[in-house]
Structure formats: structure tokens, C-alpha cells
Amino acid sequence: MNTSASSVGSSSPFDFFSFDFTTPQPRQDADLLQQLSFVPGLKEILMLRQVHALEHATVWVLSEVKNTHSPTGRPSKIQIDDELLGGLSTDQGFYLYGEVNISDLRRAVTLALHRLTHGEWDLAVHPRCGTNLSVAMLLTASLAVGVNLMLPFRPIEQLIGLGLAATTASELAPDLGAIAQKYLTTAIPFNLAVENITISRDMWGRQGHFVKVNWRE
């Protein structure tokens, strides 16, 4: 039951502090936007997070389909990643790069949206997401600075410390990146509706399919 949506009409602008941000709820983003409508760019940020999740889920679904249709493919509950597919999210929709039939893409987007909004929230997280790289870089830099300040300023100790920092960051980054995706850079697309899918080019001139979406309450 979505308790965050209760008494919206008479609630104060600061009722968003009572929202449960750990468990996806269908009206969470819509209610947040209603409460904080005065914040510039909030709708675009909320849309971008939801589009980002839909992009990831679409790649997972397409990867599953490819694995199922391959000569040695067997049905499995393990998520299979097609590394030839990639995406770029915007607040209007997402680009998908890689060889894919547009009819297959339409079916994959529809299925991805359905599965995401019906409980398969893990599809919103992807190991090749740029969030993971950003987390890894930030973590490595932070650990490197910490090591530099704690160890003696001698070359041997500093090199050993930097090596330990890089190793530790590489071990922690995947899990921390997944957490960052789950709670910061993606959101379950309860408020998205697919408008159309076209062959298009991004700002760098790369050709791909563009999945355009719109916001619905």
C-alpha cells in the first residue's frame, strides 16, 4: 500500500520527508514532483532516472532474447549481458546502440517496462553502467588521497599505498556502483509511457535507435 500518496491535497510541502525511498512505489516520483513543483529541473531529473532504468532493463531483455535464440542457448535465471549493446539516457528517452531489429526493440522495451513495474527491480541495475565507472574513479581518488596523507612521504611507501588504494577501489566499486544506481541514478519507470522508436543519431553523430518516452501521472 502506498502510504506516501495519502492526503496529498492537504499535506505540507515538506511531507516528502516521510516518503519511503528504499522501496519503489508507483506514485513516489509523481507525488514528489507535486510537492516540490517549484524546484527547477526536478521533472527532468526524475524522468532521467526512470529512463535510465528502462534503458538498462531493455538491454537485459534483448540480451536474454539473443541468448535464448543462440544455438547453445538454454533458459536460465542468470542474467546474460550482450556486451555489443549499449545505451545513452536523456530526459526525453534513450539511445540504443548495437545491431538490433526495430521490431525486436519495440517488444523488448514494452516487456522491460512491464517487468520493471511489476516487481523485477533488479533489471534497473547494469554492471556496464557509467555510474560504476564514476564510483570507481571517485573511490580510487579518495583512497589515494587518504593514503597519501597517512603514509610517510617516501616513494616506496607511497607506491605501495597507491597500489593498495587501487586494488581496494576495484574490489568495492562494483557493489558500491550497484547501490548508487539503485538509489541515485535510476528509478522504476512507473511514470513513463513509450511514445515511439526511431532510427536517429545522438549529439556525437553516432547512429542508433531512439526510444522516445513521455511522462504520465
Side-chain angles (χ1 to χ4, degrees):
M1 178 174 163
N2 183 7
T3 57
S4 66
S6 62
S7 303
V8 171
S10 59
S11 60
S12 84
F14 300 101
D15 280 350
F16 67 92
F17 286 116
S18 66
F19 287 173
D20 180 5
F21 288 99
T22 60
T23 303
Q25 300 179 49
R27 284 204 53 82
Q28 181 168 292
D29 281 359
D31 289 344
L32 185 64
L33 182 61
Q34 183 175 3
Q35 297 287 352
L36 300 178
S37 58
F38 56 88
V39 177
L42 178 60
K43 183 176 181 179
E44 287 73 18
I45 293 172
L46 295 176
M47 281 195 70
L48 180 59
R49 295 176 72 230
Q50 293 195 19
V51 170
H52 197 187
L54 182 58
E55 174 210 321
H56 288 172
T58 301
V59 171
W60 279 128
V61 171
L62 287 170
S63 300
E64 290 174 2
V65 171
K66 182 177 180 179
N67 182 64
T68 301
H69 291 167
S70 66
T72 58
R74 293 190 181 95
S76 172
K77 292 184 179 180
I78 299 175
Q79 289 178 319
I80 305 297
D81 178 25
D82 183 355
E83 296 186 0
L84 298 179
L85 295 175
L88 174 67
S89 294
T90 74
D91 61 0
Q92 300 296 317
F94 68 89
Y95 292 91
L96 185 80
Y97 308 106
E99 294 186 9
V100 59
N101 181 281
I102 194 168
S103 298
D104 292 337
L105 179 55
R106 286 195 183 97
R107 286 190 291 269
V109 172
T110 301
L111 181 57
L113 184 59
H114 175 81
R115 290 172 62 177
L116 274 174
T117 55
H118 286 77
E120 294 188 54
W121 302 328
D122 58 317
L123 294 177
V125 177
H126 200 282
R128 289 189 290 111
C129 177
T131 301
N132 287 21
L133 178 60
S134 299
V135 168
M137 293 174 61
L138 179 61
L139 187 59
T140 301
S142 300
L143 291 174
V145 170
V147 165
N148 180 267
L149 295 176
M150 289 189 297
L151 293 180
F153 290 95
R154 292 193 292 267
I156 299 299
E157 286 85 348
Q158 289 294 314
L159 286 174
I160 293 174
L162 290 175
L164 289 173
T167 302
T168 302
S170 66
E171 291 293 326
L172 295 178
D175 291 335
L176 293 179
I179 292 172
Q181 287 184 61
K182 184 176 181 180
Y183 295 110
L184 295 177
T185 63
T186 70
I188 304 304
F190 292 115
N191 302 104
L192 295 187
V194 179
E195 184 173 320
N196 58 52
I197 301 176
T198 58
I199 297 176
S200 183
R201 292 185 181 274
D202 64 15
M203 64 184 72
W204 294 282
R206 295 178 298 175
Q207 181 172 307
H209 292 88
F210 185 68
V211 180
K212 184 173 177 56
V213 301
N214 52 47
W215 179 270
R216 63 179 184 183
E217 294 296 333

